[in-house]
Amino acid sequence: MASANAQGRPKTIDSHLHIWASPQEAADKYPYFPGQEPTLPGHLDFLLQCMEEASVEGALIVQPINHKFDHSLVTSVLKKHPTKFVGCCLANPAENGTGVKQLEDLILKDGYRAVRFNPYLWPSGQQMTNEVGKAMFSRAGELGVPVGFMCMKGLNLHISEITELCTEFPSTAVLLDHLAFCKPPLNDEEKLAFSELLKLSRFPQVYVKFSALFRVSRMSSPYLDLVPLLAEVVSNFGANRVMWGSDFPYVVPESGYKGAKEAACLIASQASLSSSEVEWIMGKTVMQLFQGQWLP
């Protein structure tokens, strides 16, 4: 079985993490974007150590805001560890449209296999459905590359854009980062956001990242208030469209890296998911989406 490692245990793949230069690397070769200097260590050796301790075999590295559109550090890591990491680049929604060419180069020349849409990088007053946004979203679909949406300020702000893009470009796969930032709902606005998330399951191209649990839970680790949310997400999308992610290195001071994996497994078992469903969430979904990666 392709998804099992040498011990016969199903592989665990982290669908969402970041790395950035160490201060020394930043001084030498990979500078931070001015004003986006990180406050946490997130260098490669630290990540590899965390992954080894937690028995996580591979990961999708999402280009961090700390290096903004300079992908050179992440590209160097992808070249160094081609069987361990897959890259998710950051879309550049500049009004002059240069982001489409940048996207093509990152995918076709540097081997990135996903792209992140951060709506807060769009020019003021513009939406992800503008001309540049649609050009990048449709090109991603043509190249077989999923688009991840970061709805940090709330899904309600972006649901109409996501719905429009999914409707117009059904061949572009979509990843919703961090449960689309839906917290366990306490009021009508939050209930609406969560119901909108569940309704996105009507688009077969949409996947949900059960990631950065510390960002969406109202509790400390192991975040057991997320049990009913995960149960509903799996019942609507199916476990084969749900994937766990840590959000390293932000997760380290919250639960520890290994603790993040353990919390996800505990939530899944309390949500009464089958062992097969847990396997999908902890690795098989992301492995199937990025076929040809993470094979022994």
Side-chain angles (χ1 to χ4, degrees), residues 199-237:
K199 271 167 42 187
L200 285 172
S201 64
R202 73 189 186 275
F203 295 107
Q205 80 234 58
V206 176
Y207 295 74
V208 178
K209 286 188 182 179
F210 185 58
S211 53
L213 306 185
F214 62 93
R215 295 188 189 277
V216 288
S217 174
R218 301 180 192 280
M219 299 168 73
S220 54
S221 182
Y223 315 118
L224 294 180
D225 58 340
L226 300 180
V227 169
L229 275 73
L230 179 61
E232 285 209 64
V233 165
V234 170
S235 121
N236 281 267
F237 285 85

Side-chain angles (χ1 to χ4, degrees), residues 50-73:
C50 288
M51 288 174 69
E52 187 168 352
E53 283 169 9
S55 300
V56 173
E57 280 89 7
L60 182 70
I61 301 178
V62 179
Q63 169 72 8
I65 199 66
N66 314 82
H67 293 285
K68 205 155 181 191
F69 301 122
D70 177 359
H71 288 71
S72 53
L73 172 77

Side-chain angles (χ1 to χ4, degrees), residues 104-159:
E104 289 175 345
D105 285 347
L106 286 162
I107 294 165
L108 298 171
K109 293 181 182 167
D110 297 322
Y112 286 78
R113 296 191 60 184
V115 56
R116 172 175 244 194
F117 275 30
N118 175 345
Y120 317 111
L121 295 176
W122 257 251
S124 180
Q126 300 272 318
Q127 292 197 311
M128 294 184 286
T129 45
N130 70 358
E131 192 182 344
V132 168
K134 285 189 173 177
M136 292 193 293
F137 190 85
S138 78
R139 190 71 184 112
E142 289 164 8
L143 293 168
V145 165
V147 172
F149 287 107
M150 181 177 76
C151 305
M152 191 174 257
K153 295 179 185 175
L155 179 60
N156 289 340
L157 284 180
H158 306 294
I159 187 69

Side-chain angles (χ1 to χ4, degrees), residues 152-285:
M152 191 174 257
K153 295 179 185 175
L155 179 60
N156 289 340
L157 284 180
H158 306 294
I159 187 69
S160 66
E161 296 161 85
I162 293 170
T163 302
E164 184 177 331
L165 290 168
C166 287
T167 304
E168 199 169 321
F169 306 104
S171 62
T172 304
V174 165
L175 312 172
L176 299 170
D177 296 345
H178 315 335
L179 279 174
F181 287 84
C182 290
K183 292 187 173 233
L186 296 179
N187 58 40
D188 288 348
E189 191 184 351
E190 291 171 349
K191 282 181 187 140
L192 175 67
F194 188 59
S195 79
E196 290 290 357
L197 167 61
L198 297 179
K199 271 167 42 187
L200 285 172
S201 64
R202 73 189 186 275
F203 295 107
Q205 80 234 58
V206 176
Y207 295 74
V208 178
K209 286 188 182 179
F210 185 58
S211 53
L213 306 185
F214 62 93
R215 295 188 189 277
V216 288
S217 174
R218 301 180 192 280
M219 299 168 73
S220 54
S221 182
Y223 315 118
L224 294 180
D225 58 340
L226 300 180
V227 169
L229 275 73
L230 179 61
E232 285 209 64
V233 165
V234 170
S235 121
N236 281 267
F237 285 85
N240 61 335
R241 288 203 278 152
V242 181
M243 57 188 89
W244 168 72
S246 67
D247 206 18
F248 173 94
Y250 301 107
V251 71
V252 175
E254 302 289 339
S255 63
Y257 185 78
K258 189 176 180 199
K261 175 187 169 183
E262 289 166 349
C265 293
L266 182 64
I267 293 164
S269 76
Q270 299 227 349
S272 304
L273 301 187
S274 69
S275 60
S276 160
E277 287 173 318
V278 176
E279 273 182 37
W280 278 103
I281 293 168
M282 299 307 292
K284 272 175 79 175
T285 299

